[in-house]
Amino acid sequence: SLIFISYQEGFFFYLKLARVAGVMLASPVIFHQIWRFIAPGLYQHEKKLLLPFSFISTCCFLGGAAFGYFVVFPPAFRFLISYSGDFLDPMPAVSEYFSLALRLLFAFGAIFELPVFVVFLAKLGTIDARFLAKNRKYAFLGAFIIAAIVTPTPDVVNQVLMAGPLVVLYEISIVAVRFFVK
């Protein structure tokens, strides 16, 4: 159970939750309006390229957020609560939990965008599959550095839970570049 430690914290939690839920529920309309603003300035072949990228990007973001929530949250919060003992009683505040959960959801959602970003760069001609395969060891090192920075806990388990998907997504990116970019 969560607590709130100031009079207004419970009220503001519901406001923040309503704001996040409202943006999530309104995101199709928001993205549609953005599309209607951008579409007149694009050529037909650019429109055909942008629509699949938008759909796949949305699916990747939601998949990353779901992965973070269902796979990473339980061990991360168990680890954080494990510091309780005779002198420390865990009483997590609702605002702290909410901000940590949002940070993790957005971090995992953004990380799962890696294949879309890499294919986009390959379509622009910036990189190719051979370059990605040649620099694999640096990408793996970068994945663990990013995991060490982004994860809220300094333990190895949570860092591997963040770096593991990054490594897998990098490999998927190489295959996607070979498949989608001629």
Side-chain angles (χ1 to χ4, degrees), residues 84-107:
S84 65
D86 294 336
F87 298 107
L88 294 173
D89 288 328
M91 293 190 304
V94 68
S95 63
E96 294 295 321
Y97 172 80
F98 190 68
S99 66
L100 177 63
L102 274 181
R103 226 179 19 229
L104 282 175
L105 286 174
F106 283 120

Side-chain angles (χ1 to χ4, degrees), residues 117-139:
F117 182 68
V118 169
V119 168
F120 182 73
L121 288 177
K123 287 255 188 212
L124 291 176
T126 308
I127 57 175
D128 60 357
R130 192 174 74 239
F131 173 81
L132 293 171
K134 187 177 96 176
N135 293 306
R136 181 179 280 128
K137 59 185 172 189
Y138 300 114

Side-chain angles (χ1 to χ4, degrees), residues 108 111 114 135-171:
F108 275 97
I111 282 172
L114 179 67
N135 293 306
R136 181 179 280 128
K137 59 185 172 189
Y138 300 114
F140 289 2
L141 176 64
F144 280 93
I145 291 172
I146 290 170
I149 293 169
V150 173
T151 54
T153 59
D155 66 311
V156 175
V157 173
N158 287 316
Q159 289 179 4
V160 168
L161 285 173
M162 173 73 84
L166 268 172
V167 168
V168 171
L169 289 167
Y170 187 80
E171 294 298 325

